[in-house]
Amino acid sequence: MSTTQSERLRGLLEPLVSAKELDLEEIEVSRAGRRRVLRVVVDSEDGVELDTCAELSRVIAETLDATDAMGEGEYVLEVSSPGADRPLTEHRHYVRAAGRLAKLTLADGGELVARVLGVDDEGLDLEVPGVKGRKPTARRIAFDEIARARVEIEFNRKDKKEEEA
């Protein structure tokens, strides 16, 4: 997708997404046969419900149909949330990952799996699980030490809401 089209779509869609109190995470235009596919990924502090995606999809479709932002020809519109194992690339992604286990690839080539305890402007406070019966240890990582990060899916961890009940 050209930068101009990407910027134009972002400018057109961002107010629609913000009106639903969501963050516009990604816009991608790709080819699927003769058609183009416009993928719009949105998120929020509390996640995104299916009904919200459906409502937003209708609003975006109406707006795109009223403009020439997608040009001539058919396209398929997909509006979704980023998924549980999405990469952490923005400060707000780390904030939303607080309390969750994350896999970090460090700039020096090392890897670390740890629970995100806190996030500030400089980096992360982590709890590294103990190995073979040892207690967990605290660790501080600056953002510039992180090459890549992704939330690890945990199937056996209780949700905070379950713990409070």
Side-chain angles (χ1 to χ4, degrees), residues 6 15 38 41 61-62 67 73 77 87 95 99 104 112 123 133 138 153 159 163:
S6 176
L38 171 60
V41 180
E62 289 171 4
T67 67
L77 173 63
V95 171
L104 302 137
L112 176 66
I153 298 173
D159 190 11
E163 291 174 0

Side-chain angles (χ1 to χ4, degrees), residues 51-106:
D51 289 343
T52 305
C53 282
E55 289 173 30
L56 184 58
S57 181
R58 282 190 291 276
V59 171
I60 289 173
E62 289 171 4
T63 302
L64 291 174
D65 289 347
T67 67
D68 66 343
M70 287 300 292
E72 295 295 318
E74 297 179 16
Y75 67 92
V76 175
L77 173 63
E78 296 177 2
V79 177
S80 65
S81 64
D85 64 343
R86 63 91 92 38
L88 305 175
T89 57
E90 302 282 336
H91 185 270
R92 69 178 178 265
H93 299 164
Y94 289 98
V95 171
R96 290 177 188 155
R100 312 253 335 251
L101 203 60
K103 181 176 184 179
L104 302 137
T105 302
L106 304 178

Side-chain angles (χ1 to χ4, degrees), residues 18-77:
S18 295
K20 298 282 185 192
E21 298 181 2
L22 299 170
D23 296 317
L24 180 57
E25 296 291 341
E26 184 179 339
I27 298 172
E28 177 189 346
V29 178
S30 60
R31 282 241 169 251
R34 289 187 218 168
R35 294 185 183 160
R36 289 168 296 147
V37 177
L38 171 60
R39 287 184 184 85
V40 179
V41 180
V42 296
D43 201 6
S44 79
E45 295 284 328
D46 303 316
V48 183
E49 294 183 4
L50 187 59
D51 289 343
T52 305
C53 282
E55 289 173 30
L56 184 58
S57 181
R58 282 190 291 276
V59 171
I60 289 173
E62 289 171 4
T63 302
L64 291 174
D65 289 347
T67 67
D68 66 343
M70 287 300 292
E72 295 295 318
E74 297 179 16
Y75 67 92
V76 175
L77 173 63

